[in-house]
mmCIF file of all heavy atoms in Angstrom:
data_model
loop_
_atom_site.group_PDB
_atom_site.id
_atom_site.type_symbol
_atom_site.label_atom_id
_atom_site.label_comp_id
_atom_site.label_asym_id
_atom_site.label_seq_id
_atom_site.Cartn_x
_atom_site.Cartn_y
_atom_site.Cartn_z
ATOM 1 N N ILE A 5 -184.498 63.195 -114.337
ATOM 2 C CA ILE A 5 -184.884 63.009 -115.733
ATOM 3 C C ILE A 5 -184.333 61.665 -116.215
ATOM 4 O O ILE A 5 -183.184 61.355 -115.981
ATOM 5 C CB ILE A 5 -184.357 64.174 -116.615
ATOM 6 C CG1 ILE A 5 -184.952 65.474 -116.188
ATOM 7 C CG2 ILE A 5 -184.651 63.912 -118.085
ATOM 8 C CD1 ILE A 5 -184.402 66.685 -116.913
ATOM 9 N N LEU A 9 -182.842 56.218 -125.324
ATOM 10 C CA LEU A 9 -182.446 56.536 -126.674
ATOM 11 C C LEU A 9 -182.205 55.264 -127.446
ATOM 12 O O LEU A 9 -181.812 54.231 -126.892
ATOM 13 C CB LEU A 9 -181.188 57.380 -126.693
ATOM 14 C CG LEU A 9 -181.212 58.729 -125.946
ATOM 15 C CD1 LEU A 9 -179.819 59.357 -125.953
ATOM 16 C CD2 LEU A 9 -182.222 59.639 -126.605
ATOM 17 N N VAL A 11 -179.787 54.227 -130.371
ATOM 18 C CA VAL A 11 -178.624 54.658 -131.170
ATOM 19 C C VAL A 11 -178.271 53.522 -132.152
ATOM 20 O O VAL A 11 -177.700 52.518 -131.753
ATOM 21 C CB VAL A 11 -177.426 54.990 -130.266
ATOM 22 C CG1 VAL A 11 -176.252 55.502 -131.095
ATOM 23 C CG2 VAL A 11 -177.790 56.001 -129.191
ATOM 24 N N ASN A 14 -179.314 50.183 -130.963
ATOM 25 C CA ASN A 14 -178.912 49.863 -129.586
ATOM 26 C C ASN A 14 -179.624 50.810 -128.629
ATOM 27 O O ASN A 14 -179.496 52.007 -128.708
ATOM 28 C CB ASN A 14 -177.415 50.038 -129.389
ATOM 29 C CG ASN A 14 -176.615 49.066 -130.258
ATOM 30 O OD1 ASN A 14 -176.902 47.870 -130.270
ATOM 31 N ND2 ASN A 14 -175.676 49.580 -130.990
ATOM 32 N N ARG A 18 -180.519 56.451 -119.595
ATOM 33 C CA ARG A 18 -179.706 57.320 -118.780
ATOM 34 C C ARG A 18 -180.578 58.092 -117.822
ATOM 35 O O ARG A 18 -181.701 58.479 -118.161
ATOM 36 C CB ARG A 18 -178.883 58.294 -119.612
ATOM 37 C CG ARG A 18 -177.920 57.628 -120.526
ATOM 38 C CD ARG A 18 -176.613 58.279 -120.475
ATOM 39 N NE ARG A 18 -175.682 57.521 -121.334
ATOM 40 C CZ ARG A 18 -174.571 58.063 -121.763
ATOM 41 N NH1 ARG A 18 -174.279 59.306 -121.498
ATOM 42 N NH2 ARG A 18 -173.753 57.358 -122.517
ATOM 43 N N GLU A 21 -179.947 63.974 -112.472
ATOM 44 C CA GLU A 21 -180.653 64.855 -111.545
ATOM 45 C C GLU A 21 -180.296 66.286 -111.893
ATOM 46 O O GLU A 21 -179.121 66.610 -112.051
ATOM 47 C CB GLU A 21 -180.262 64.523 -110.120
ATOM 48 C CG GLU A 21 -181.137 65.175 -109.091
ATOM 49 C CD GLU A 21 -180.807 64.651 -107.712
ATOM 50 O OE1 GLU A 21 -179.882 65.188 -107.101
ATOM 51 O OE2 GLU A 21 -181.511 63.711 -107.228
ATOM 52 N N HIS A 23 -181.350 70.699 -111.498
ATOM 53 C CA HIS A 23 -181.997 71.771 -110.717
ATOM 54 C C HIS A 23 -182.845 72.617 -111.669
ATOM 55 O O HIS A 23 -182.398 72.987 -112.738
ATOM 56 C CB HIS A 23 -180.941 72.641 -110.049
ATOM 57 C CG HIS A 23 -180.201 71.938 -108.968
ATOM 58 N ND1 HIS A 23 -180.717 71.752 -107.692
ATOM 59 C CD2 HIS A 23 -178.980 71.338 -108.958
ATOM 60 C CE1 HIS A 23 -179.834 71.084 -106.975
ATOM 61 N NE2 HIS A 23 -178.785 70.823 -107.727
ATOM 62 N N GLU A 26 -187.728 77.212 -109.154
ATOM 63 C CA GLU A 26 -189.111 77.039 -108.757
ATOM 64 C C GLU A 26 -190.053 77.985 -109.506
ATOM 65 O O GLU A 26 -191.194 77.593 -109.788
ATOM 66 C CB GLU A 26 -189.257 77.187 -107.249
ATOM 67 C CG GLU A 26 -188.744 75.963 -106.509
ATOM 68 C CD GLU A 26 -189.174 75.929 -105.068
ATOM 69 O OE1 GLU A 26 -190.332 76.267 -104.783
ATOM 70 O OE2 GLU A 26 -188.355 75.553 -104.237
ATOM 71 N N LYS A 31 -194.642 77.971 -113.607
ATOM 72 C CA LYS A 31 -195.238 78.446 -114.862
ATOM 73 C C LYS A 31 -195.732 77.274 -115.708
ATOM 74 O O LYS A 31 -196.912 77.224 -116.072
ATOM 75 C CB LYS A 31 -194.239 79.279 -115.654
ATOM 76 C CG LYS A 31 -193.932 80.603 -115.013
ATOM 77 C CD LYS A 31 -192.880 81.339 -115.842
ATOM 78 C CE LYS A 31 -192.371 82.570 -115.140
ATOM 79 N NZ LYS A 31 -191.271 83.177 -115.861
ATOM 80 N N ASP A 32 -194.854 76.371 -116.028
ATOM 81 C CA ASP A 32 -195.167 75.193 -116.844
ATOM 82 C C ASP A 32 -194.088 74.169 -116.650
ATOM 83 O O ASP A 32 -193.086 74.149 -117.393
ATOM 84 C CB ASP A 32 -195.323 75.595 -118.325
ATOM 85 C CG ASP A 32 -195.845 74.452 -119.175
ATOM 86 O OD1 ASP A 32 -195.907 73.317 -118.682
ATOM 87 O OD2 ASP A 32 -196.173 74.702 -120.340
ATOM 88 N N ILE A 37 -188.888 71.541 -117.903
ATOM 89 C CA ILE A 37 -188.107 70.328 -117.721
ATOM 90 C C ILE A 37 -187.817 69.694 -119.094
ATOM 91 O O ILE A 37 -186.725 69.142 -119.278
ATOM 92 C CB ILE A 37 -188.852 69.345 -116.798
ATOM 93 C CG1 ILE A 37 -188.930 69.951 -115.410
ATOM 94 C CG2 ILE A 37 -188.160 67.980 -116.774
ATOM 95 C CD1 ILE A 37 -189.809 69.241 -114.441
ATOM 96 N N ILE A 39 -187.148 71.354 -121.811
ATOM 97 C CA ILE A 39 -186.014 72.095 -122.357
ATOM 98 C C ILE A 39 -184.727 71.594 -121.747
ATOM 99 O O ILE A 39 -183.733 71.330 -122.449
ATOM 100 C CB ILE A 39 -186.182 73.603 -122.069
ATOM 101 C CG1 ILE A 39 -187.348 74.149 -122.922
ATOM 102 C CG2 ILE A 39 -184.879 74.357 -122.364
ATOM 103 C CD1 ILE A 39 -187.740 75.570 -122.576
ATOM 104 N N GLU A 43 -181.628 69.715 -123.864
ATOM 105 C CA GLU A 43 -180.237 70.123 -123.789
ATOM 106 C C GLU A 43 -179.344 68.931 -123.383
ATOM 107 O O GLU A 43 -178.257 68.734 -123.952
ATOM 108 C CB GLU A 43 -180.056 71.277 -122.807
ATOM 109 C CG GLU A 43 -180.713 72.549 -123.283
ATOM 110 C CD GLU A 43 -180.757 73.628 -122.208
ATOM 111 O OE1 GLU A 43 -180.472 73.306 -121.024
ATOM 112 O OE2 GLU A 43 -181.095 74.773 -122.532
ATOM 113 N N GLU A 58 -182.407 58.159 -131.940
ATOM 114 C CA GLU A 58 -183.829 58.442 -131.838
ATOM 115 C C GLU A 58 -184.217 58.497 -130.350
ATOM 116 O O GLU A 58 -183.841 57.638 -129.571
ATOM 117 C CB GLU A 58 -184.591 57.297 -132.510
ATOM 118 C CG GLU A 58 -186.093 57.432 -132.385
ATOM 119 C CD GLU A 58 -186.847 56.224 -132.917
ATOM 120 O OE1 GLU A 58 -186.173 55.308 -133.455
ATOM 121 O OE2 GLU A 58 -188.055 56.170 -132.774
ATOM 122 N N LYS A 63 -188.969 60.885 -119.346
ATOM 123 C CA LYS A 63 -189.822 61.044 -118.167
ATOM 124 C C LYS A 63 -189.093 61.884 -117.126
ATOM 125 O O LYS A 63 -187.862 61.904 -117.098
ATOM 126 C CB LYS A 63 -190.178 59.718 -117.536
ATOM 127 C CG LYS A 63 -191.009 58.799 -118.441
ATOM 128 C CD LYS A 63 -191.525 57.558 -117.734
ATOM 129 C CE LYS A 63 -190.557 56.827 -116.889
ATOM 130 N NZ LYS A 63 -191.099 55.579 -116.348
ATOM 131 N N GLU A 66 -189.961 59.932 -112.654
ATOM 132 C CA GLU A 66 -190.431 58.599 -112.897
ATOM 133 C C GLU A 66 -191.934 58.470 -113.203
ATOM 134 O O GLU A 66 -192.457 57.385 -113.326
ATOM 135 C CB GLU A 66 -190.069 57.651 -111.733
ATOM 136 C CG GLU A 66 -188.582 57.545 -111.527
ATOM 137 C CD GLU A 66 -188.214 56.583 -110.403
ATOM 138 O OE1 GLU A 66 -189.132 56.094 -109.707
ATOM 139 O OE2 GLU A 66 -187.019 56.309 -110.232
ATOM 140 N N GLU A 67 -192.660 59.570 -113.308
ATOM 141 C CA GLU A 67 -194.079 59.470 -113.566
ATOM 142 C C GLU A 67 -194.656 60.414 -114.630
ATOM 143 O O GLU A 67 -195.738 60.197 -115.126
ATOM 144 C CB GLU A 67 -194.853 59.660 -112.258
ATOM 145 C CG GLU A 67 -194.604 61.024 -111.623
ATOM 146 C CD GLU A 67 -195.178 61.114 -110.225
ATOM 147 O OE1 GLU A 67 -194.982 60.216 -109.416
ATOM 148 O OE2 GLU A 67 -195.818 62.152 -109.957
ATOM 149 N N ILE A 70 -192.870 63.121 -120.925
ATOM 150 C CA ILE A 70 -192.716 64.374 -121.702
ATOM 151 C C ILE A 70 -192.043 64.116 -123.059
ATOM 152 O O ILE A 70 -191.556 65.056 -123.685
ATOM 153 C CB ILE A 70 -191.932 65.422 -120.902
ATOM 154 C CG1 ILE A 70 -190.565 64.877 -120.463
ATOM 155 C CG2 ILE A 70 -192.740 65.933 -119.727
ATOM 156 C CD1 ILE A 70 -189.660 65.896 -119.791
ATOM 157 N N LYS A 75 -189.567 66.084 -128.229
ATOM 158 C CA LYS A 75 -189.400 65.865 -129.662
ATOM 159 C C LYS A 75 -189.775 67.104 -130.469
ATOM 160 O O LYS A 75 -189.309 67.291 -131.594
ATOM 161 C CB LYS A 75 -190.219 64.659 -130.153
ATOM 162 C CG LYS A 75 -189.608 63.321 -129.717
ATOM 163 C CD LYS A 75 -190.455 62.185 -130.288
ATOM 164 C CE LYS A 75 -189.850 60.835 -129.965
ATOM 165 N NZ LYS A 75 -190.641 59.755 -130.555
ATOM 166 N N PHE A 88 -173.375 92.184 -144.497
ATOM 167 C CA PHE A 88 -172.541 91.644 -145.606
ATOM 168 C C PHE A 88 -172.894 90.253 -145.991
ATOM 169 O O PHE A 88 -173.607 89.546 -145.387
ATOM 170 C CB PHE A 88 -171.056 91.734 -145.271
ATOM 171 C CG PHE A 88 -170.709 91.148 -143.922
ATOM 172 C CD1 PHE A 88 -170.405 89.799 -143.796
ATOM 173 C CD2 PHE A 88 -170.728 91.935 -142.792
ATOM 174 C CE1 PHE A 88 -170.108 89.284 -142.548
ATOM 175 C CE2 PHE A 88 -170.413 91.387 -141.536
ATOM 176 C CZ PHE A 88 -170.102 90.074 -141.444
#
Side-chain angles (χ1 to χ4, degrees):
I5 298 175
L9 301 175
V11 182
N14 297 310
R18 297 227 177 161
E21 191 172 84
H23 293 280
E26 285 194 40
K31 291 178 189 174
D32 187 350
I37 294 170
I39 292 171
E43 292 170 348
E58 177 188 355
K63 296 189 313 186
E66 298 183 354
E67 58 190 47
I70 55 173
K75 286 182 176 183
F88 50 89

